[in-house]
mmCIF file of all heavy atoms in Angstrom:
data_model
loop_
_atom_site.group_PDB
_atom_site.id
_atom_site.type_symbol
_atom_site.label_atom_id
_atom_site.label_comp_id
_atom_site.label_asym_id
_atom_site.label_seq_id
_atom_site.Cartn_x
_atom_site.Cartn_y
_atom_site.Cartn_z
ATOM 1 N N LEU J 376 -35.114 -16.999 40.774
ATOM 2 C CA LEU J 376 -35.145 -15.547 40.621
ATOM 3 C C LEU J 376 -34.384 -15.112 39.374
ATOM 4 O O LEU J 376 -34.801 -14.182 38.668
ATOM 5 C CB LEU J 376 -34.554 -14.884 41.865
ATOM 6 C CG LEU J 376 -35.318 -15.094 43.179
ATOM 7 C CD1 LEU J 376 -34.566 -14.455 44.339
ATOM 8 C CD2 LEU J 376 -36.731 -14.518 43.072
ATOM 9 N N TYR J 377 -33.258 -15.766 39.099
ATOM 10 C CA TYR J 377 -32.481 -15.397 37.917
ATOM 11 C C TYR J 377 -33.152 -15.866 36.627
ATOM 12 O O TYR J 377 -33.085 -15.182 35.599
ATOM 13 C CB TYR J 377 -31.055 -15.928 38.025
ATOM 14 C CG TYR J 377 -30.226 -15.098 38.980
ATOM 15 C CD1 TYR J 377 -29.959 -15.537 40.271
ATOM 16 C CD2 TYR J 377 -29.737 -13.849 38.601
ATOM 17 C CE1 TYR J 377 -29.213 -14.754 41.157
ATOM 18 C CE2 TYR J 377 -29.003 -13.067 39.466
ATOM 19 C CZ TYR J 377 -28.744 -13.524 40.752
ATOM 20 O OH TYR J 377 -28.026 -12.751 41.615
ATOM 21 N N PHE J 378 -33.831 -17.029 36.661
ATOM 22 C CA PHE J 378 -34.565 -17.463 35.471
ATOM 23 C C PHE J 378 -35.722 -16.503 35.182
ATOM 24 O O PHE J 378 -36.001 -16.188 34.023
ATOM 25 C CB PHE J 378 -35.078 -18.893 35.645
ATOM 26 C CG PHE J 378 -33.985 -19.925 35.673
ATOM 27 C CD1 PHE J 378 -33.923 -20.859 36.695
ATOM 28 C CD2 PHE J 378 -33.013 -19.953 34.692
ATOM 29 C CE1 PHE J 378 -32.914 -21.812 36.736
ATOM 30 C CE2 PHE J 378 -31.994 -20.905 34.719
ATOM 31 C CZ PHE J 378 -31.948 -21.829 35.750
ATOM 32 N N ILE J 379 -36.378 -16.028 36.219
ATOM 33 C CA ILE J 379 -37.448 -15.040 36.044
ATOM 34 C C ILE J 379 -36.875 -13.758 35.448
ATOM 35 O O ILE J 379 -37.482 -13.139 34.568
ATOM 36 C CB ILE J 379 -38.152 -14.769 37.387
ATOM 37 C CG1 ILE J 379 -38.955 -16.005 37.804
ATOM 38 C CG2 ILE J 379 -39.069 -13.553 37.287
ATOM 39 C CD1 ILE J 379 -39.502 -15.936 39.210
ATOM 40 N N ALA J 380 -35.671 -13.355 35.911
ATOM 41 C CA ALA J 380 -35.034 -12.159 35.365
ATOM 42 C C ALA J 380 -34.770 -12.320 33.873
ATOM 43 O O ALA J 380 -34.917 -11.362 33.096
ATOM 44 C CB ALA J 380 -33.736 -11.882 36.110
ATOM 45 N N VAL J 381 -34.374 -13.517 33.449
ATOM 46 C CA VAL J 381 -34.174 -13.782 32.020
ATOM 47 C C VAL J 381 -35.482 -13.617 31.265
ATOM 48 O O VAL J 381 -35.559 -12.922 30.240
ATOM 49 C CB VAL J 381 -33.619 -15.200 31.790
ATOM 50 C CG1 VAL J 381 -33.519 -15.483 30.286
ATOM 51 C CG2 VAL J 381 -32.273 -15.388 32.446
ATOM 52 N N LEU J 382 -36.522 -14.241 31.785
ATOM 53 C CA LEU J 382 -37.797 -14.311 31.054
ATOM 54 C C LEU J 382 -38.534 -12.987 31.036
ATOM 55 O O LEU J 382 -39.408 -12.777 30.190
ATOM 56 C CB LEU J 382 -38.668 -15.411 31.663
ATOM 57 C CG LEU J 382 -38.055 -16.816 31.506
ATOM 58 C CD1 LEU J 382 -38.732 -17.817 32.418
ATOM 59 C CD2 LEU J 382 -38.147 -17.254 30.043
ATOM 60 N N GLN J 383 -38.180 -12.092 31.940
ATOM 61 C CA GLN J 383 -38.730 -10.746 31.862
ATOM 62 C C GLN J 383 -38.163 -9.999 30.671
ATOM 63 O O GLN J 383 -38.772 -9.050 30.182
ATOM 64 C CB GLN J 383 -38.422 -9.989 33.162
ATOM 65 C CG GLN J 383 -39.225 -10.468 34.357
ATOM 66 C CD GLN J 383 -38.771 -9.816 35.661
ATOM 67 O OE1 GLN J 383 -37.650 -9.303 35.756
ATOM 68 N NE2 GLN J 383 -39.640 -9.841 36.664
ATOM 69 N N ARG J 384 -36.998 -10.419 30.209
ATOM 70 C CA ARG J 384 -36.331 -9.760 29.086
ATOM 71 C C ARG J 384 -36.493 -10.549 27.790
ATOM 72 O O ARG J 384 -36.538 -9.970 26.717
ATOM 73 C CB ARG J 384 -34.842 -9.585 29.407
ATOM 74 C CG ARG J 384 -34.580 -8.658 30.586
ATOM 75 C CD ARG J 384 -33.139 -8.772 31.069
ATOM 76 N NE ARG J 384 -32.791 -7.748 32.061
ATOM 77 C CZ ARG J 384 -33.061 -7.856 33.359
ATOM 78 N NH1 ARG J 384 -33.697 -8.931 33.828
ATOM 79 N NH2 ARG J 384 -32.720 -6.882 34.190
ATOM 80 N N GLN J 385 -36.533 -11.885 27.904
ATOM 81 C CA GLN J 385 -36.651 -12.749 26.728
ATOM 82 C C GLN J 385 -37.742 -13.792 27.000
ATOM 83 O O GLN J 385 -37.470 -14.895 27.489
ATOM 84 C CB GLN J 385 -35.315 -13.429 26.433
ATOM 85 C CG GLN J 385 -34.192 -12.462 26.080
ATOM 86 C CD GLN J 385 -32.870 -13.161 25.792
ATOM 87 O OE1 GLN J 385 -32.710 -14.364 26.015
ATOM 88 N NE2 GLN J 385 -31.891 -12.408 25.307
ATOM 89 N N THR J 386 -38.951 -13.429 26.690
ATOM 90 C CA THR J 386 -40.109 -14.260 27.073
ATOM 91 C C THR J 386 -40.166 -15.589 26.325
ATOM 92 O O THR J 386 -40.874 -16.510 26.756
ATOM 93 C CB THR J 386 -41.413 -13.493 26.833
ATOM 94 O OG1 THR J 386 -41.490 -13.121 25.442
ATOM 95 C CG2 THR J 386 -41.459 -12.240 27.697
ATOM 96 N N MET J 387 -39.431 -15.716 25.230
ATOM 97 C CA MET J 387 -39.503 -16.935 24.420
ATOM 98 C C MET J 387 -38.252 -17.795 24.578
ATOM 99 O O MET J 387 -37.922 -18.582 23.701
ATOM 100 C CB MET J 387 -39.698 -16.559 22.953
ATOM 101 C CG MET J 387 -40.927 -15.720 22.674
ATOM 102 S SD MET J 387 -42.464 -16.604 23.075
ATOM 103 C CE MET J 387 -42.527 -17.734 21.677
ATOM 104 N N ARG J 388 -37.581 -17.707 25.692
ATOM 105 C CA ARG J 388 -36.358 -18.480 25.911
ATOM 106 C C ARG J 388 -36.734 -19.822 26.536
ATOM 107 O O ARG J 388 -36.939 -19.947 27.752
ATOM 108 C CB ARG J 388 -35.378 -17.720 26.802
ATOM 109 C CG ARG J 388 -34.009 -18.373 26.884
ATOM 110 C CD ARG J 388 -32.972 -17.379 27.328
ATOM 111 N NE ARG J 388 -31.644 -17.955 27.418
ATOM 112 C CZ ARG J 388 -30.505 -17.273 27.391
ATOM 113 N NH1 ARG J 388 -30.545 -15.947 27.244
ATOM 114 N NH2 ARG J 388 -29.341 -17.862 27.497
ATOM 115 N N TYR J 389 -36.799 -20.835 25.724
ATOM 116 C CA TYR J 389 -37.296 -22.145 26.133
ATOM 117 C C TYR J 389 -36.493 -22.732 27.295
ATOM 118 O O TYR J 389 -37.060 -23.213 28.284
ATOM 119 C CB TYR J 389 -37.241 -23.108 24.945
ATOM 120 C CG TYR J 389 -37.602 -24.536 25.301
ATOM 121 C CD1 TYR J 389 -38.929 -24.908 25.484
ATOM 122 C CD2 TYR J 389 -36.620 -25.512 25.449
ATOM 123 C CE1 TYR J 389 -39.261 -26.213 25.824
ATOM 124 C CE2 TYR J 389 -36.941 -26.810 25.789
ATOM 125 C CZ TYR J 389 -38.268 -27.155 25.977
ATOM 126 O OH TYR J 389 -38.591 -28.434 26.319
ATOM 127 N N SER J 390 -35.170 -22.694 27.202
ATOM 128 C CA SER J 390 -34.345 -23.319 28.225
ATOM 129 C C SER J 390 -34.570 -22.682 29.596
ATOM 130 O O SER J 390 -34.562 -23.372 30.624
ATOM 131 C CB SER J 390 -32.867 -23.221 27.843
ATOM 132 O OG SER J 390 -32.065 -23.926 28.762
ATOM 133 N N SER J 391 -34.803 -21.378 29.631
ATOM 134 C CA SER J 391 -35.041 -20.716 30.918
ATOM 135 C C SER J 391 -36.388 -21.114 31.501
ATOM 136 O O SER J 391 -36.517 -21.299 32.718
ATOM 137 C CB SER J 391 -34.950 -19.192 30.746
ATOM 138 O OG SER J 391 -33.640 -18.807 30.414
ATOM 139 N N TRP J 392 -37.435 -21.243 30.675
ATOM 140 C CA TRP J 392 -38.722 -21.754 31.171
ATOM 141 C C TRP J 392 -38.560 -23.161 31.730
ATOM 142 O O TRP J 392 -39.096 -23.500 32.788
ATOM 143 C CB TRP J 392 -39.766 -21.759 30.045
ATOM 144 C CG TRP J 392 -40.364 -20.426 29.724
ATOM 145 C CD1 TRP J 392 -40.260 -19.745 28.549
ATOM 146 C CD2 TRP J 392 -41.181 -19.627 30.589
ATOM 147 N NE1 TRP J 392 -40.947 -18.558 28.614
ATOM 148 C CE2 TRP J 392 -41.527 -18.458 29.861
ATOM 149 C CE3 TRP J 392 -41.649 -19.769 31.881
ATOM 150 C CZ2 TRP J 392 -42.318 -17.448 30.393
ATOM 151 C CZ3 TRP J 392 -42.443 -18.768 32.423
ATOM 152 C CH2 TRP J 392 -42.769 -17.629 31.698
ATOM 153 N N LEU J 393 -37.805 -23.984 31.018
ATOM 154 C CA LEU J 393 -37.606 -25.369 31.433
ATOM 155 C C LEU J 393 -36.876 -25.434 32.783
ATOM 156 O O LEU J 393 -37.279 -26.179 33.691
ATOM 157 C CB LEU J 393 -36.798 -26.098 30.355
ATOM 158 C CG LEU J 393 -36.817 -27.631 30.371
ATOM 159 C CD1 LEU J 393 -38.222 -28.148 30.117
ATOM 160 C CD2 LEU J 393 -35.864 -28.162 29.303
ATOM 161 N N HIS J 394 -35.826 -24.658 32.928
ATOM 162 C CA HIS J 394 -35.077 -24.666 34.176
ATOM 163 C C HIS J 394 -35.857 -24.020 35.316
ATOM 164 O O HIS J 394 -35.701 -24.409 36.484
ATOM 165 C CB HIS J 394 -33.727 -23.958 33.984
ATOM 166 C CG HIS J 394 -32.700 -24.804 33.301
ATOM 167 N ND1 HIS J 394 -32.645 -24.954 31.938
ATOM 168 C CD2 HIS J 394 -31.702 -25.586 33.805
ATOM 169 C CE1 HIS J 394 -31.646 -25.766 31.619
ATOM 170 N NE2 HIS J 394 -31.059 -26.162 32.732
ATOM 171 N N LEU J 395 -36.696 -23.021 34.984
ATOM 172 C CA LEU J 395 -37.564 -22.461 36.016
ATOM 173 C C LEU J 395 -38.536 -23.524 36.529
ATOM 174 O O LEU J 395 -38.787 -23.614 37.741
ATOM 175 C CB LEU J 395 -38.335 -21.258 35.453
ATOM 176 C CG LEU J 395 -39.331 -20.598 36.415
ATOM 177 C CD1 LEU J 395 -38.616 -20.057 37.653
ATOM 178 C CD2 LEU J 395 -40.102 -19.478 35.708
ATOM 179 N N ALA J 396 -39.064 -24.328 35.609
ATOM 180 C CA ALA J 396 -39.963 -25.418 36.028
ATOM 181 C C ALA J 396 -39.240 -26.390 36.951
ATOM 182 O O ALA J 396 -39.805 -26.868 37.952
ATOM 183 C CB ALA J 396 -40.497 -26.151 34.794
ATOM 184 N N TYR J 397 -37.983 -26.680 36.648
ATOM 185 C CA TYR J 397 -37.201 -27.594 37.492
ATOM 186 C C TYR J 397 -36.950 -26.976 38.865
ATOM 187 O O TYR J 397 -37.074 -27.653 39.902
ATOM 188 C CB TYR J 397 -35.891 -27.923 36.804
ATOM 189 C CG TYR J 397 -34.994 -28.859 37.570
ATOM 190 C CD1 TYR J 397 -35.482 -30.071 38.079
ATOM 191 C CD2 TYR J 397 -33.664 -28.557 37.806
ATOM 192 C CE1 TYR J 397 -34.666 -30.940 38.789
ATOM 193 C CE2 TYR J 397 -32.831 -29.402 38.511
ATOM 194 C CZ TYR J 397 -33.346 -30.593 39.005
ATOM 195 O OH TYR J 397 -32.541 -31.443 39.714
ATOM 196 N N ALA J 398 -36.620 -25.674 38.904
ATOM 197 C CA ALA J 398 -36.398 -25.002 40.185
ATOM 198 C C ALA J 398 -37.665 -25.018 41.028
ATOM 199 O O ALA J 398 -37.613 -25.288 42.244
ATOM 200 C CB ALA J 398 -35.928 -23.564 39.943
ATOM 201 N N LYS J 399 -38.813 -24.757 40.415
ATOM 202 C CA LYS J 399 -40.072 -24.767 41.154
ATOM 203 C C LYS J 399 -40.412 -26.174 41.641
ATOM 204 O O LYS J 399 -40.989 -26.354 42.726
ATOM 205 C CB LYS J 399 -41.197 -24.220 40.275
ATOM 206 C CG LYS J 399 -41.049 -22.744 39.917
ATOM 207 C CD LYS J 399 -41.050 -21.863 41.148
ATOM 208 C CE LYS J 399 -41.007 -20.390 40.803
ATOM 209 N NZ LYS J 399 -40.960 -19.515 42.007
ATOM 210 N N THR J 400 -40.032 -27.179 40.859
ATOM 211 C CA THR J 400 -40.246 -28.565 41.294
ATOM 212 C C THR J 400 -39.431 -28.862 42.542
ATOM 213 O O THR J 400 -39.939 -29.465 43.509
ATOM 214 C CB THR J 400 -39.872 -29.526 40.165
ATOM 215 O OG1 THR J 400 -40.707 -29.287 39.018
ATOM 216 C CG2 THR J 400 -40.047 -30.981 40.606
ATOM 217 N N LEU J 401 -38.189 -28.470 42.549
ATOM 218 C CA LEU J 401 -37.341 -28.691 43.721
ATOM 219 C C LEU J 401 -37.871 -27.960 44.950
ATOM 220 O O LEU J 401 -37.685 -28.414 46.088
ATOM 221 C CB LEU J 401 -35.911 -28.232 43.425
ATOM 222 C CG LEU J 401 -35.154 -29.018 42.352
ATOM 223 C CD1 LEU J 401 -33.779 -28.401 42.107
ATOM 224 C CD2 LEU J 401 -35.004 -30.486 42.753
ATOM 225 N N LEU J 402 -38.552 -26.834 44.739
ATOM 226 C CA LEU J 402 -39.117 -26.072 45.846
ATOM 227 C C LEU J 402 -40.483 -26.608 46.275
ATOM 228 O O LEU J 402 -41.070 -26.104 47.242
ATOM 229 C CB LEU J 402 -39.250 -24.596 45.447
ATOM 230 C CG LEU J 402 -37.933 -23.829 45.255
ATOM 231 C CD1 LEU J 402 -38.183 -22.486 44.582
ATOM 232 C CD2 LEU J 402 -37.239 -23.628 46.591
ATOM 233 N N GLY J 403 -40.982 -27.597 45.573
ATOM 234 C CA GLY J 403 -42.292 -28.153 45.887
ATOM 235 C C GLY J 403 -43.443 -27.311 45.375
ATOM 236 O O GLY J 403 -44.593 -27.522 45.774
ATOM 237 N N GLU J 404 -43.178 -26.363 44.500
ATOM 238 C CA GLU J 404 -44.221 -25.502 43.937
ATOM 239 C C GLU J 404 -44.671 -26.097 42.609
ATOM 240 O O GLU J 404 -44.376 -25.581 41.522
ATOM 241 C CB GLU J 404 -43.689 -24.078 43.762
ATOM 242 C CG GLU J 404 -43.216 -23.438 45.067
ATOM 243 C CD GLU J 404 -42.590 -22.067 44.864
ATOM 244 O OE1 GLU J 404 -42.711 -21.514 43.750
ATOM 245 O OE2 GLU J 404 -41.981 -21.535 45.811
ATOM 246 N N ASN J 405 -45.391 -27.186 42.698
ATOM 247 C CA ASN J 405 -45.712 -27.969 41.499
ATOM 248 C C ASN J 405 -46.619 -27.231 40.528
ATOM 249 O O ASN J 405 -46.465 -27.358 39.310
ATOM 250 C CB ASN J 405 -46.347 -29.300 41.903
ATOM 251 C CG ASN J 405 -45.369 -30.189 42.647
ATOM 252 O OD1 ASN J 405 -44.154 -30.067 42.485
ATOM 253 N ND2 ASN J 405 -45.877 -31.080 43.485
ATOM 254 N N ASP J 406 -47.570 -26.449 41.045
ATOM 255 C CA ASP J 406 -48.454 -25.709 40.143
ATOM 256 C C ASP J 406 -47.662 -24.682 39.333
ATOM 257 O O ASP J 406 -47.884 -24.523 38.118
ATOM 258 C CB ASP J 406 -49.564 -25.021 40.943
ATOM 259 C CG ASP J 406 -50.582 -26.008 41.508
ATOM 260 O OD1 ASP J 406 -50.625 -27.151 41.008
ATOM 261 O OD2 ASP J 406 -51.312 -25.630 42.442
ATOM 262 N N ASN J 407 -46.739 -24.000 40.010
ATOM 263 C CA ASN J 407 -45.911 -23.029 39.296
ATOM 264 C C ASN J 407 -45.005 -23.726 38.286
ATOM 265 O O ASN J 407 -44.724 -23.194 37.208
ATOM 266 C CB ASN J 407 -45.059 -22.239 40.285
ATOM 267 C CG ASN J 407 -45.878 -21.264 41.116
ATOM 268 O OD1 ASN J 407 -46.934 -20.813 40.673
ATOM 269 N ND2 ASN J 407 -45.416 -20.957 42.320
ATOM 270 N N ALA J 408 -44.539 -24.925 38.630
ATOM 271 C CA ALA J 408 -43.707 -25.687 37.711
ATOM 272 C C ALA J 408 -44.492 -26.053 36.455
ATOM 273 O O ALA J 408 -43.981 -25.937 35.329
ATOM 274 C CB ALA J 408 -43.183 -26.943 38.396
ATOM 275 N N LYS J 409 -45.747 -26.471 36.635
ATOM 276 C CA LYS J 409 -46.580 -26.837 35.484
ATOM 277 C C LYS J 409 -46.839 -25.619 34.601
ATOM 278 O O LYS J 409 -46.848 -25.722 33.369
ATOM 279 C CB LYS J 409 -47.896 -27.442 35.965
ATOM 280 C CG LYS J 409 -47.745 -28.809 36.626
ATOM 281 C CD LYS J 409 -49.088 -29.319 37.119
ATOM 282 C CE LYS J 409 -48.945 -30.652 37.833
ATOM 283 N NZ LYS J 409 -50.255 -31.133 38.352
ATOM 284 N N GLN J 410 -47.081 -24.463 35.226
ATOM 285 C CA GLN J 410 -47.301 -23.245 34.440
ATOM 286 C C GLN J 410 -46.059 -22.896 33.611
ATOM 287 O O GLN J 410 -46.159 -22.481 32.454
ATOM 288 C CB GLN J 410 -47.660 -22.091 35.371
ATOM 289 C CG GLN J 410 -49.029 -22.230 36.034
ATOM 290 C CD GLN J 410 -49.310 -21.102 37.017
ATOM 291 O OE1 GLN J 410 -48.561 -20.122 37.083
ATOM 292 N NE2 GLN J 410 -50.390 -21.236 37.779
ATOM 293 N N ALA J 411 -44.885 -23.076 34.219
ATOM 294 C CA ALA J 411 -43.649 -22.800 33.482
ATOM 295 C C ALA J 411 -43.495 -23.758 32.314
ATOM 296 O O ALA J 411 -43.051 -23.364 31.222
ATOM 297 C CB ALA J 411 -42.457 -22.910 34.425
ATOM 298 N N LEU J 412 -43.868 -25.035 32.510
ATOM 299 C CA LEU J 412 -43.790 -26.008 31.421
ATOM 300 C C LEU J 412 -44.764 -25.668 30.298
ATOM 301 O O LEU J 412 -44.467 -25.861 29.112
ATOM 302 C CB LEU J 412 -44.064 -27.408 31.959
ATOM 303 C CG LEU J 412 -42.933 -28.041 32.773
ATOM 304 C CD1 LEU J 412 -43.390 -29.344 33.405
ATOM 305 C CD2 LEU J 412 -41.709 -28.280 31.892
ATOM 306 N N GLN J 413 -45.939 -25.141 30.665
ATOM 307 C CA GLN J 413 -46.898 -24.731 29.640
ATOM 308 C C GLN J 413 -46.334 -23.584 28.806
ATOM 309 O O GLN J 413 -46.492 -23.550 27.575
ATOM 310 C CB GLN J 413 -48.211 -24.315 30.303
ATOM 311 C CG GLN J 413 -48.992 -25.472 30.895
ATOM 312 C CD GLN J 413 -50.201 -25.020 31.693
ATOM 313 O OE1 GLN J 413 -50.438 -23.820 31.858
ATOM 314 N NE2 GLN J 413 -50.990 -25.972 32.195
ATOM 315 N N GLN J 414 -45.684 -22.642 29.474
ATOM 316 C CA GLN J 414 -45.064 -21.544 28.738
ATOM 317 C C GLN J 414 -43.923 -22.050 27.853
ATOM 318 O O GLN J 414 -43.744 -21.581 26.729
ATOM 319 C CB GLN J 414 -44.528 -20.505 29.724
ATOM 320 C CG GLN J 414 -45.613 -19.720 30.453
ATOM 321 C CD GLN J 414 -46.389 -18.819 29.521
ATOM 322 O OE1 GLN J 414 -45.867 -18.328 28.529
ATOM 323 N NE2 GLN J 414 -47.658 -18.612 29.831
ATOM 324 N N ALA J 415 -43.169 -23.028 28.376
ATOM 325 C CA ALA J 415 -42.069 -23.584 27.595
ATOM 326 C C ALA J 415 -42.582 -24.224 26.313
ATOM 327 O O ALA J 415 -41.941 -24.133 25.255
ATOM 328 C CB ALA J 415 -41.301 -24.602 28.427
ATOM 329 N N ALA J 416 -43.745 -24.860 26.399
ATOM 330 C CA ALA J 416 -44.300 -25.543 25.226
ATOM 331 C C ALA J 416 -44.608 -24.577 24.096
ATOM 332 O O ALA J 416 -44.605 -24.953 22.922
ATOM 333 C CB ALA J 416 -45.556 -26.315 25.623
ATOM 334 N N THR J 417 -44.873 -23.310 24.428
ATOM 335 C CA THR J 417 -45.219 -22.330 23.390
ATOM 336 C C THR J 417 -44.001 -21.853 22.598
ATOM 337 O O THR J 417 -44.164 -21.217 21.556
ATOM 338 C CB THR J 417 -45.905 -21.102 24.021
ATOM 339 O OG1 THR J 417 -44.969 -20.411 24.871
ATOM 340 C CG2 THR J 417 -47.120 -21.523 24.855
ATOM 341 N N CYS J 418 -42.815 -22.148 23.096
ATOM 342 C CA CYS J 418 -41.610 -21.662 22.396
ATOM 343 C C CYS J 418 -40.566 -22.772 22.253
ATOM 344 O O CYS J 418 -39.374 -22.490 22.167
ATOM 345 C CB CYS J 418 -41.024 -20.462 23.129
ATOM 346 S SG CYS J 418 -40.645 -20.711 24.874
ATOM 347 N N ARG J 419 -41.047 -24.025 22.224
ATOM 348 C CA ARG J 419 -40.124 -25.145 22.114
ATOM 349 C C ARG J 419 -39.464 -25.162 20.743
ATOM 350 O O ARG J 419 -40.146 -25.195 19.707
ATOM 351 C CB ARG J 419 -40.873 -26.459 22.343
ATOM 352 C CG ARG J 419 -39.974 -27.701 22.388
ATOM 353 C CD ARG J 419 -40.827 -28.934 22.672
ATOM 354 N NE ARG J 419 -40.021 -30.118 22.900
ATOM 355 C CZ ARG J 419 -39.653 -30.979 21.954
ATOM 356 N NH1 ARG J 419 -40.003 -30.754 20.682
ATOM 357 N NH2 ARG J 419 -38.931 -32.042 22.256
ATOM 358 N N PRO J 420 -38.114 -25.139 20.670
ATOM 359 C CA PRO J 420 -37.424 -25.145 19.378
ATOM 360 C C PRO J 420 -37.444 -26.542 18.762
ATOM 361 O O PRO J 420 -37.626 -27.547 19.463
ATOM 362 C CB PRO J 420 -36.002 -24.716 19.744
ATOM 363 C CG PRO J 420 -35.822 -25.195 21.148
ATOM 364 C CD PRO J 420 -37.165 -25.058 21.810
ATOM 365 N N PRO J 421 -37.246 -26.645 17.456
ATOM 366 C CA PRO J 421 -37.240 -27.959 16.801
ATOM 367 C C PRO J 421 -36.050 -28.827 17.211
ATOM 368 O O PRO J 421 -36.140 -30.049 17.161
ATOM 369 C CB PRO J 421 -37.193 -27.614 15.313
ATOM 370 C CG PRO J 421 -36.640 -26.230 15.247
ATOM 371 C CD PRO J 421 -37.109 -25.540 16.475
ATOM 372 N N VAL J 422 -34.949 -28.201 17.590
ATOM 373 C CA VAL J 422 -33.752 -28.933 18.002
ATOM 374 C C VAL J 422 -33.390 -28.490 19.411
ATOM 375 O O VAL J 422 -33.302 -27.288 19.686
ATOM 376 C CB VAL J 422 -32.575 -28.690 17.048
ATOM 377 C CG1 VAL J 422 -31.333 -29.435 17.520
ATOM 378 C CG2 VAL J 422 -32.949 -29.105 15.624
ATOM 379 N N LEU J 423 -33.199 -29.477 20.304
ATOM 380 C CA LEU J 423 -32.883 -29.161 21.691
ATOM 381 C C LEU J 423 -31.424 -29.457 22.003
ATOM 382 O O LEU J 423 -30.851 -30.424 21.491
ATOM 383 C CB LEU J 423 -33.760 -29.990 22.646
ATOM 384 C CG LEU J 423 -35.279 -29.832 22.562
ATOM 385 C CD1 LEU J 423 -35.947 -30.699 23.626
ATOM 386 C CD2 LEU J 423 -35.677 -28.376 22.736
ATOM 387 N N ALA J 424 -30.823 -28.629 22.849
ATOM 388 C CA ALA J 424 -29.525 -28.974 23.413
ATOM 389 C C ALA J 424 -29.689 -30.258 24.222
ATOM 390 O O ALA J 424 -30.758 -30.521 24.795
ATOM 391 C CB ALA J 424 -29.015 -27.849 24.299
ATOM 392 N N SER J 425 -28.651 -31.067 24.280
ATOM 393 C CA SER J 425 -28.757 -32.362 24.956
ATOM 394 C C SER J 425 -29.144 -32.201 26.422
ATOM 395 O O SER J 425 -29.935 -32.995 26.951
ATOM 396 C CB SER J 425 -27.435 -33.123 24.843
ATOM 397 O OG SER J 425 -26.364 -32.370 25.380
ATOM 398 N N SER J 426 -28.636 -31.181 27.095
ATOM 399 C CA SER J 426 -28.993 -30.970 28.504
ATOM 400 C C SER J 426 -30.465 -30.608 28.648
ATOM 401 O O SER J 426 -31.146 -31.069 29.584
ATOM 402 C CB SER J 426 -28.116 -29.873 29.108
ATOM 403 O OG SER J 426 -28.236 -28.666 28.369
#
Side-chain angles (χ1 to χ4, degrees):
L376 296 176
Y377 284 102
F378 292 129
I379 291 170
V381 176
L382 296 165
Q383 288 173 340
R384 296 167 171 83
Q385 297 180 350
T386 58
M387 302 297 285
R388 189 159 180 159
Y389 174 77
S390 185
S391 294
W392 282 117
L393 197 64
H394 281 82
L395 178 61
Y397 180 51
K399 294 299 184 182
T400 299
L401 294 177
L402 292 168
E404 301 176 11
N405 294 335
D406 289 342
N407 289 334
K409 291 178 182 178
Q410 291 177 9
L412 286 172
Q413 289 173 357
Q414 290 293 329
T417 66
C418 55
R419 186 178 188 269
V422 179
L423 300 182
S425 57
S426 57

